[in-house]
Amino acid sequence: MYDFSYHRPTSLQDAVSLLAKQPDAKPMSGGMSLLPSMKLRLSKWTDVVDLAAIPDLSGIREEAGHIIIGARTRHVEVATSALLHAKLPALAELAEGIGDPLVRNRGTIGGSIANADPAADYPSSVVALDATIITTRREIAADAFFTGLFETALAHDELITAVRYKIPKRAAYMKFRHPASRYAIVGAFVAQMEGAVRVAITGAGPHVFRIAAYEDALTKTFSSAALDGVTPKLPSLNTDLHASADYRAHAVVEMVRRAVKAAAARKSI
Ligand SMILES: Cc1cc2nc3c(=O)[nH]c(=O)nc-3n(C[C@H](O)[C@H](O)[C@H](O)COP(=O)(O)OP(=O)(O)OC[C@H]3O[C@@H](n4cnc5c(N)ncnc54)[C@H](O)[C@@H]3O)c2cc1C
């Protein structure tokens, strides 16, 4: 790890001005992705701006038919939320499947989304549920947020404050996970929304993507049989030491089928 200055602001305004002053400053939430990358010298920052002392950045609430989750809400809180188990169980299940107890106790939803790791779980929920990312500057639609490998629409001095999720009729998340880290080799989030079905895939490509052909077929008939004979047009998929692109393409089809079956078995909200 390289030397850096540590800051612990107590307001969002102070955090944003610290970031604005230093081009190589970085915000830290749970530190579960940022700190390992710094320790391994994969990244180097002059200043780390810890968001932990800023009030009102965590919590899960229902408001005007949406679920709003504060950026510093930890994975364990999402996994155990009674509200989510009643209204959006797929998201609680997704959070329960992240990493290990240590990671779930420290890692946060805002950190995971801002990090935009291609194998992270949350991005698929954000896109499938047509969520809105609320930041210190604006609101960003899910489809415009993830722009590349570890890249998002966020500016250097822009912080996520919350994520606003639409409540689907039914949804499910299925992942073929790495056996050690539990990161998604391929993960599929399927959501039956009012009027349309959305299918978002994580783990397979440089960033989360949707599959239009599956969405069209499932919007007509929400059943795994509706996918028979539909050939999805997939973007260029990742090949790495965990899986080849061909293997991932097969896993995409299988994970979507499993997610549709799991969602279809749920009571509609
Ligand atoms: C062993 C291990 C296993 C894991 N397994 C999984 C897994 O199975 N699935 C999965 O999805 N993830 C997994 N993770 C990642 C984990 O979920 C992290 O918690 C998450 O990626 C980052 O969240 P964090 O709160 O720790 O963010 P940090 O590490 O603090 O930050 C991550 C990035 O987000 C930025 N950032 C943080 N908060 C904000 C904000 N509010 N606004 C703007 N930018 C911000 C930081 O500057 C940094 O670039 C694993 C991690 C480890 C170490």
Side-chain angles (χ1 to χ4, degrees), residues 26-34 51 71 75 97-100 103 106-108 110-112 114-115 120-121 154 158-160 175 181-183:
K26 198 76 174 152
M28 180 173 81
S29 190
M32 290 289 100
S33 293
L34 182 68
L51 309 178
H75 308 326
I98 294 176
D100 50 46
V103 170
R106 295 282 318 174
T108 66
S112 174
N115 199 43
D121 296 300
L154 289 173
E158 181 175 20
L159 292 169
I160 299 175
K175 78 168 156 176
S181 71
R182 294 175 99 189
Y183 273 111

mmCIF file of all heavy atoms in Angstrom, residues 26-34 51 71 75 97-100 103 106-108 110-112 114-115 120-121 154 158-160 175 181-183, ligand 1:
data_model
loop_
_atom_site.group_PDB
_atom_site.id
_atom_site.type_symbol
_atom_site.label_atom_id
_atom_site.label_comp_id
_atom_site.label_asym_id
_atom_site.label_seq_id
_atom_site.Cartn_x
_atom_site.Cartn_y
_atom_site.Cartn_z
ATOM 1 N N LYS A 26 -10.223 9.538 -3.148
ATOM 2 C CA LYS A 26 -11.235 8.509 -3.438
ATOM 3 C C LYS A 26 -12.138 8.340 -2.226
ATOM 4 O O LYS A 26 -11.653 8.276 -1.089
ATOM 5 C CB LYS A 26 -10.482 7.190 -3.709
ATOM 6 C CG LYS A 26 -11.276 6.157 -4.427
ATOM 7 C CD LYS A 26 -11.426 6.451 -5.905
ATOM 8 C CE LYS A 26 -12.114 5.331 -6.636
ATOM 9 N NZ LYS A 26 -12.835 5.798 -7.813
ATOM 10 N N PRO A 27 -13.459 8.263 -2.441
ATOM 11 C CA PRO A 27 -14.330 7.983 -1.296
ATOM 12 C C PRO A 27 -14.220 6.523 -0.862
ATOM 13 O O PRO A 27 -13.923 5.650 -1.690
ATOM 14 C CB PRO A 27 -15.732 8.282 -1.835
ATOM 15 C CG PRO A 27 -15.632 8.165 -3.309
ATOM 16 C CD PRO A 27 -14.209 8.454 -3.691
ATOM 17 N N MET A 28 -14.451 6.283 0.414
ATOM 18 C CA MET A 28 -14.462 4.892 0.915
ATOM 19 C C MET A 28 -15.758 4.664 1.684
ATOM 20 O O MET A 28 -16.128 5.482 2.517
ATOM 21 C CB MET A 28 -13.273 4.629 1.836
ATOM 22 C CG MET A 28 -13.256 3.198 2.366
ATOM 23 S SD MET A 28 -11.756 2.792 3.289
ATOM 24 C CE MET A 28 -12.134 3.502 4.877
ATOM 25 N N SER A 29 -16.408 3.543 1.399
ATOM 26 C CA SER A 29 -17.620 3.185 2.148
ATOM 27 C C SER A 29 -17.273 2.030 3.084
ATOM 28 O O SER A 29 -16.784 2.254 4.191
ATOM 29 C CB SER A 29 -18.750 2.860 1.180
ATOM 30 O OG SER A 29 -19.956 2.750 1.854
ATOM 31 N N GLY A 30 -17.487 0.777 2.660
ATOM 32 C CA GLY A 30 -17.110 -0.352 3.516
ATOM 33 C C GLY A 30 -15.637 -0.709 3.397
ATOM 34 O O GLY A 30 -15.090 -1.435 4.234
ATOM 35 N N GLY A 31 -14.994 -0.256 2.353
ATOM 36 C CA GLY A 31 -13.564 -0.535 2.146
ATOM 37 C C GLY A 31 -13.277 -1.943 1.651
ATOM 38 O O GLY A 31 -12.116 -2.332 1.488
ATOM 39 N N MET A 32 -14.308 -2.721 1.364
ATOM 40 C CA MET A 32 -14.093 -4.140 1.016
ATOM 41 C C MET A 32 -13.523 -4.349 -0.385
ATOM 42 O O MET A 32 -12.959 -5.395 -0.679
ATOM 43 C CB MET A 32 -15.411 -4.930 1.155
ATOM 44 C CG MET A 32 -15.868 -5.123 2.564
ATOM 45 S SD MET A 32 -14.821 -6.286 3.476
ATOM 46 C CE MET A 32 -13.802 -5.181 4.400
ATOM 47 N N SER A 33 -13.682 -3.374 -1.261
ATOM 48 C CA SER A 33 -13.056 -3.459 -2.575
ATOM 49 C C SER A 33 -11.922 -2.450 -2.691
ATOM 50 O O SER A 33 -10.869 -2.746 -3.259
ATOM 51 C CB SER A 33 -14.079 -3.201 -3.693
ATOM 52 O OG SER A 33 -15.016 -4.235 -3.720
ATOM 53 N N LEU A 34 -12.134 -1.247 -2.125
ATOM 54 C CA LEU A 34 -11.110 -0.202 -2.250
ATOM 55 C C LEU A 34 -9.813 -0.602 -1.541
ATOM 56 O O LEU A 34 -8.722 -0.499 -2.117
ATOM 57 C CB LEU A 34 -11.648 1.118 -1.656
ATOM 58 C CG LEU A 34 -10.693 2.295 -1.777
ATOM 59 C CD1 LEU A 34 -10.528 2.707 -3.230
ATOM 60 C CD2 LEU A 34 -11.165 3.480 -0.941
ATOM 61 N N LEU A 51 -16.614 7.677 4.337
ATOM 62 C CA LEU A 51 -17.989 8.200 4.446
ATOM 63 C C LEU A 51 -18.695 7.732 5.721
ATOM 64 O O LEU A 51 -19.863 8.053 5.948
ATOM 65 C CB LEU A 51 -18.810 7.761 3.220
ATOM 66 C CG LEU A 51 -18.189 8.050 1.840
ATOM 67 C CD1 LEU A 51 -19.101 7.520 0.728
ATOM 68 C CD2 LEU A 51 -17.953 9.557 1.660
ATOM 69 N N ALA A 71 -26.997 4.629 0.644
ATOM 70 C CA ALA A 71 -25.764 4.130 0.022
ATOM 71 C C ALA A 71 -24.899 3.334 1.000
ATOM 72 O O ALA A 71 -24.216 2.399 0.607
ATOM 73 C CB ALA A 71 -24.960 5.304 -0.541
ATOM 74 N N HIS A 75 -24.548 -4.977 3.259
ATOM 75 C CA HIS A 75 -25.184 -6.147 2.630
ATOM 76 C C HIS A 75 -26.003 -6.947 3.659
ATOM 77 O O HIS A 75 -27.085 -7.424 3.352
ATOM 78 C CB HIS A 75 -24.137 -7.075 1.999
ATOM 79 C CG HIS A 75 -23.175 -6.388 1.071
ATOM 80 N ND1 HIS A 75 -23.522 -5.322 0.282
ATOM 81 C CD2 HIS A 75 -21.854 -6.635 0.806
ATOM 82 C CE1 HIS A 75 -22.471 -4.938 -0.435
ATOM 83 N NE2 HIS A 75 -21.451 -5.716 -0.124
ATOM 84 N N GLY A 97 -26.243 -13.728 -0.688
ATOM 85 C CA GLY A 97 -25.292 -14.538 -1.460
ATOM 86 C C GLY A 97 -23.970 -13.849 -1.736
ATOM 87 O O GLY A 97 -23.112 -14.391 -2.438
ATOM 88 N N ILE A 98 -23.782 -12.636 -1.197
ATOM 89 C CA ILE A 98 -22.527 -11.913 -1.466
ATOM 90 C C ILE A 98 -21.435 -12.384 -0.506
ATOM 91 O O ILE A 98 -21.623 -12.390 0.717
ATOM 92 C CB ILE A 98 -22.726 -10.384 -1.297
ATOM 93 C CG1 ILE A 98 -23.673 -9.849 -2.372
ATOM 94 C CG2 ILE A 98 -21.388 -9.645 -1.332
ATOM 95 C CD1 ILE A 98 -24.007 -8.369 -2.245
ATOM 96 N N GLY A 99 -20.294 -12.740 -1.055
ATOM 97 C CA GLY A 99 -19.066 -12.994 -0.286
ATOM 98 C C GLY A 99 -19.272 -13.866 0.938
ATOM 99 O O GLY A 99 -19.920 -14.907 0.892
ATOM 100 N N ASP A 100 -18.700 -13.400 2.053
ATOM 101 C CA ASP A 100 -18.751 -14.141 3.314
ATOM 102 C C ASP A 100 -19.275 -13.197 4.403
ATOM 103 O O ASP A 100 -19.494 -12.013 4.145
ATOM 104 C CB ASP A 100 -17.341 -14.662 3.651
ATOM 105 C CG ASP A 100 -16.307 -13.557 3.552
ATOM 106 O OD1 ASP A 100 -16.568 -12.449 4.078
ATOM 107 O OD2 ASP A 100 -15.244 -13.770 2.933
ATOM 108 N N VAL A 103 -17.461 -9.777 4.682
ATOM 109 C CA VAL A 103 -17.761 -8.872 3.558
ATOM 110 C C VAL A 103 -19.185 -8.322 3.697
ATOM 111 O O VAL A 103 -19.425 -7.131 3.497
ATOM 112 C CB VAL A 103 -17.584 -9.615 2.206
ATOM 113 C CG1 VAL A 103 -18.108 -8.786 1.043
ATOM 114 C CG2 VAL A 103 -16.110 -9.955 1.986
ATOM 115 N N ARG A 106 -19.383 -5.519 6.320
ATOM 116 C CA ARG A 106 -18.685 -4.251 6.050
ATOM 117 C C ARG A 106 -19.111 -3.628 4.726
ATOM 118 O O ARG A 106 -19.214 -2.413 4.619
ATOM 119 C CB ARG A 106 -17.156 -4.479 5.997
ATOM 120 C CG ARG A 106 -16.473 -4.913 7.253
ATOM 121 C CD ARG A 106 -16.244 -3.829 8.244
ATOM 122 N NE ARG A 106 -15.782 -2.571 7.664
ATOM 123 C CZ ARG A 106 -15.617 -1.448 8.344
ATOM 124 N NH1 ARG A 106 -15.878 -1.428 9.637
ATOM 125 N NH2 ARG A 106 -15.212 -0.357 7.764
ATOM 126 N N GLY A 107 -19.305 -4.439 3.729
ATOM 127 C CA GLY A 107 -19.574 -3.934 2.370
ATOM 128 C C GLY A 107 -20.953 -3.291 2.277
ATOM 129 O O GLY A 107 -21.888 -3.672 2.982
ATOM 130 N N THR A 108 -21.075 -2.311 1.397
ATOM 131 C CA THR A 108 -22.326 -1.548 1.283
ATOM 132 C C THR A 108 -22.852 -1.561 -0.158
ATOM 133 O O THR A 108 -22.091 -1.724 -1.113
ATOM 134 C CB THR A 108 -22.095 -0.084 1.697
ATOM 135 O OG1 THR A 108 -21.210 0.530 0.742
ATOM 136 C CG2 THR A 108 -21.498 0.026 3.102
ATOM 137 N N GLY A 110 -23.983 1.034 -1.859
ATOM 138 C CA GLY A 110 -23.454 2.171 -2.627
ATOM 139 C C GLY A 110 -22.046 1.884 -3.127
ATOM 140 O O GLY A 110 -21.702 2.185 -4.279
ATOM 141 N N GLY A 111 -21.222 1.271 -2.272
ATOM 142 C CA GLY A 111 -19.848 0.930 -2.660
ATOM 143 C C GLY A 111 -19.840 -0.085 -3.783
ATOM 144 O O GLY A 111 -19.049 0.022 -4.736
ATOM 145 N N SER A 112 -20.721 -1.058 -3.696
ATOM 146 C CA SER A 112 -20.749 -2.094 -4.725
ATOM 147 C C SER A 112 -21.175 -1.513 -6.076
ATOM 148 O O SER A 112 -20.565 -1.815 -7.111
ATOM 149 C CB SER A 112 -21.718 -3.205 -4.302
ATOM 150 O OG SER A 112 -21.846 -4.132 -5.342
ATOM 151 N N ALA A 114 -21.058 1.704 -7.060
ATOM 152 C CA ALA A 114 -20.051 2.659 -7.559
ATOM 153 C C ALA A 114 -18.828 1.929 -8.103
ATOM 154 O O ALA A 114 -18.194 2.377 -9.056
ATOM 155 C CB ALA A 114 -19.632 3.606 -6.431
ATOM 156 N N ASN A 115 -18.512 0.787 -7.503
ATOM 157 C CA ASN A 115 -17.325 0.042 -7.923
ATOM 158 C C ASN A 115 -17.512 -0.582 -9.316
ATOM 159 O O ASN A 115 -16.565 -0.712 -10.074
ATOM 160 C CB ASN A 115 -17.039 -1.058 -6.889
ATOM 161 C CG ASN A 115 -15.640 -1.571 -6.958
ATOM 162 O OD1 ASN A 115 -14.691 -0.782 -7.087
ATOM 163 N ND2 ASN A 115 -15.474 -2.876 -6.887
ATOM 164 N N ALA A 120 -19.892 -8.271 -9.831
ATOM 165 C CA ALA A 120 -20.686 -7.938 -8.639
ATOM 166 C C ALA A 120 -22.156 -8.252 -8.863
ATOM 167 O O ALA A 120 -22.649 -8.223 -9.994
ATOM 168 C CB ALA A 120 -20.509 -6.466 -8.294
ATOM 169 N N ASP A 121 -22.855 -8.527 -7.782
ATOM 170 C CA ASP A 121 -24.258 -8.933 -7.873
ATOM 171 C C ASP A 121 -25.226 -7.763 -8.028
ATOM 172 O O ASP A 121 -26.137 -7.802 -8.864
ATOM 173 C CB ASP A 121 -24.638 -9.738 -6.621
ATOM 174 C CG ASP A 121 -23.852 -11.026 -6.516
ATOM 175 O OD1 ASP A 121 -23.961 -11.858 -7.430
ATOM 176 O OD2 ASP A 121 -23.115 -11.202 -5.526
ATOM 177 N N LEU A 154 -20.706 8.275 -12.748
ATOM 178 C CA LEU A 154 -20.382 9.190 -11.643
ATOM 179 C C LEU A 154 -19.187 10.075 -11.981
ATOM 180 O O LEU A 154 -18.196 9.599 -12.546
ATOM 181 C CB LEU A 154 -20.024 8.399 -10.376
ATOM 182 C CG LEU A 154 -21.143 7.655 -9.634
ATOM 183 C CD1 LEU A 154 -20.533 6.815 -8.527
ATOM 184 C CD2 LEU A 154 -22.181 8.631 -9.083
ATOM 185 N N GLU A 158 -18.603 13.141 -7.139
ATOM 186 C CA GLU A 158 -20.048 12.888 -7.014
ATOM 187 C C GLU A 158 -20.257 11.619 -6.192
ATOM 188 O O GLU A 158 -19.649 10.588 -6.487
ATOM 189 C CB GLU A 158 -20.643 12.713 -8.430
ATOM 190 C CG GLU A 158 -22.135 12.459 -8.455
ATOM 191 C CD GLU A 158 -22.669 12.412 -9.896
ATOM 192 O OE1 GLU A 158 -21.885 12.193 -10.844
ATOM 193 O OE2 GLU A 158 -23.895 12.595 -10.048
ATOM 194 N N LEU A 159 -21.106 11.717 -5.186
ATOM 195 C CA LEU A 159 -21.318 10.560 -4.305
ATOM 196 C C LEU A 159 -22.721 10.002 -4.458
ATOM 197 O O LEU A 159 -23.697 10.766 -4.572
ATOM 198 C CB LEU A 159 -21.114 10.977 -2.846
ATOM 199 C CG LEU A 159 -19.677 11.346 -2.463
ATOM 200 C CD1 LEU A 159 -19.647 12.003 -1.086
ATOM 201 C CD2 LEU A 159 -18.807 10.086 -2.464
ATOM 202 N N ILE A 160 -22.822 8.686 -4.421
ATOM 203 C CA ILE A 160 -24.145 8.060 -4.356
ATOM 204 C C ILE A 160 -24.672 8.272 -2.945
ATOM 205 O O ILE A 160 -23.952 8.038 -1.959
ATOM 206 C CB ILE A 160 -24.055 6.540 -4.647
ATOM 207 C CG1 ILE A 160 -23.511 6.285 -6.050
ATOM 208 C CG2 ILE A 160 -25.413 5.871 -4.470
ATOM 209 C CD1 ILE A 160 -23.282 4.806 -6.356
ATOM 210 N N LYS A 175 -27.468 -17.064 -9.487
ATOM 211 C CA LYS A 175 -26.087 -16.920 -9.968
ATOM 212 C C LYS A 175 -25.345 -18.233 -9.944
ATOM 213 O O LYS A 175 -25.576 -19.080 -9.092
ATOM 214 C CB LYS A 175 -25.332 -15.848 -9.196
ATOM 215 C CG LYS A 175 -24.823 -16.192 -7.829
ATOM 216 C CD LYS A 175 -23.834 -15.097 -7.338
ATOM 217 C CE LYS A 175 -23.759 -15.068 -5.834
ATOM 218 N NZ LYS A 175 -22.763 -14.119 -5.322
ATOM 219 N N SER A 181 -14.926 -16.972 -3.695
ATOM 220 C CA SER A 181 -15.298 -15.575 -3.413
ATOM 221 C C SER A 181 -16.808 -15.363 -3.417
ATOM 222 O O SER A 181 -17.309 -14.428 -2.823
ATOM 223 C CB SER A 181 -14.685 -14.646 -4.464
ATOM 224 O OG SER A 181 -15.329 -14.828 -5.708
ATOM 225 N N ARG A 182 -17.522 -16.210 -4.120
ATOM 226 C CA ARG A 182 -18.971 -16.109 -4.365
ATOM 227 C C ARG A 182 -19.335 -14.986 -5.347
ATOM 228 O O ARG A 182 -20.497 -14.685 -5.548
ATOM 229 C CB ARG A 182 -19.766 -15.976 -3.068
ATOM 230 C CG ARG A 182 -19.670 -17.230 -2.204
ATOM 231 C CD ARG A 182 -20.348 -17.041 -0.890
ATOM 232 N NE ARG A 182 -21.688 -17.620 -0.885
ATOM 233 C CZ ARG A 182 -22.571 -17.437 0.095
ATOM 234 N NH1 ARG A 182 -22.273 -16.700 1.130
ATOM 235 N NH2 ARG A 182 -23.752 -17.991 0.039
ATOM 236 N N TYR A 183 -18.333 -14.334 -5.936
ATOM 237 C CA TYR A 183 -18.638 -13.404 -7.032
ATOM 238 C C TYR A 183 -19.351 -14.177 -8.138
ATOM 239 O O TYR A 183 -19.165 -15.388 -8.286
ATOM 240 C CB TYR A 183 -17.339 -12.829 -7.616
ATOM 241 C CG TYR A 183 -16.810 -11.599 -6.930
ATOM 242 C CD1 TYR A 183 -15.634 -11.636 -6.178
ATOM 243 C CD2 TYR A 183 -17.463 -10.377 -7.047
ATOM 244 C CE1 TYR A 183 -15.134 -10.493 -5.555
ATOM 245 C CE2 TYR A 183 -16.970 -9.228 -6.438
ATOM 246 C CZ TYR A 183 -15.819 -9.288 -5.694
ATOM 247 O OH TYR A 183 -15.325 -8.172 -5.098
HETATM 248 C C1 LIG B 1 -13.527 -11.789 -0.311
HETATM 249 C C2 LIG B 1 -14.530 -10.923 -1.013
HETATM 250 C C3 LIG B 1 -15.623 -11.539 -1.617
HETATM 251 C C4 LIG B 1 -16.582 -10.764 -2.281
HETATM 252 N N1 LIG B 1 -17.639 -11.399 -2.867
HETATM 253 C C5 LIG B 1 -18.560 -10.655 -3.523
HETATM 254 C C6 LIG B 1 -19.691 -11.288 -4.135
HETATM 255 O O1 LIG B 1 -19.915 -12.493 -4.058
HETATM 256 N N2 LIG B 1 -20.565 -10.480 -4.788
HETATM 257 C C7 LIG B 1 -20.408 -9.115 -4.859
HETATM 258 O O2 LIG B 1 -21.232 -8.438 -5.457
HETATM 259 N N3 LIG B 1 -19.363 -8.510 -4.267
HETATM 260 C C8 LIG B 1 -18.449 -9.229 -3.602
HETATM 261 N N4 LIG B 1 -17.408 -8.614 -2.985
HETATM 262 C C9 LIG B 1 -17.316 -7.133 -3.031
HETATM 263 C C10 LIG B 1 -18.108 -6.555 -1.872
HETATM 264 O O3 LIG B 1 -19.479 -6.688 -2.112
HETATM 265 C C11 LIG B 1 -17.806 -5.056 -1.615
HETATM 266 O O4 LIG B 1 -18.456 -4.761 -0.435
HETATM 267 C C12 LIG B 1 -18.276 -4.075 -2.648
HETATM 268 O O5 LIG B 1 -17.804 -4.344 -3.920
HETATM 269 C C13 LIG B 1 -17.778 -2.679 -2.327
HETATM 270 O O6 LIG B 1 -18.517 -2.136 -1.282
HETATM 271 P P1 LIG B 1 -17.812 -1.289 -0.174
HETATM 272 O O7 LIG B 1 -18.901 -0.626 0.590
HETATM 273 O O8 LIG B 1 -16.870 -2.121 0.589
HETATM 274 O O9 LIG B 1 -17.071 -0.160 -1.039
HETATM 275 P P2 LIG B 1 -15.573 0.397 -0.991
HETATM 276 O O10 LIG B 1 -14.605 -0.718 -1.107
HETATM 277 O O11 LIG B 1 -15.433 1.330 0.138
HETATM 278 O O12 LIG B 1 -15.594 1.244 -2.338
HETATM 279 C C14 LIG B 1 -15.670 0.626 -3.594
HETATM 280 C C15 LIG B 1 -15.638 1.712 -4.669
HETATM 281 O O13 LIG B 1 -16.808 2.508 -4.614
HETATM 282 C C16 LIG B 1 -16.482 3.899 -4.381
HETATM 283 N N5 LIG B 1 -17.527 4.373 -3.474
HETATM 284 C C17 LIG B 1 -17.862 3.847 -2.273
HETATM 285 N N6 LIG B 1 -18.954 4.461 -1.794
HETATM 286 C C18 LIG B 1 -19.301 5.416 -2.691
HETATM 287 C C19 LIG B 1 -20.366 6.365 -2.763
HETATM 288 N N7 LIG B 1 -21.296 6.463 -1.806
HETATM 289 N N8 LIG B 1 -20.437 7.171 -3.841
HETATM 290 C C20 LIG B 1 -19.506 7.082 -4.834
HETATM 291 N N9 LIG B 1 -18.486 6.197 -4.827
HETATM 292 C C21 LIG B 1 -18.398 5.366 -3.758
HETATM 293 C C22 LIG B 1 -15.086 3.880 -3.799
HETATM 294 O O14 LIG B 1 -14.392 5.073 -4.067
HETATM 295 C C23 LIG B 1 -14.480 2.682 -4.519
HETATM 296 O O15 LIG B 1 -14.069 3.070 -5.810
HETATM 297 C C24 LIG B 1 -16.442 -9.342 -2.313
HETATM 298 C C25 LIG B 1 -15.352 -8.735 -1.693
HETATM 299 C C26 LIG B 1 -14.407 -9.502 -1.048
HETATM 300 C C27 LIG B 1 -13.262 -8.821 -0.367
#
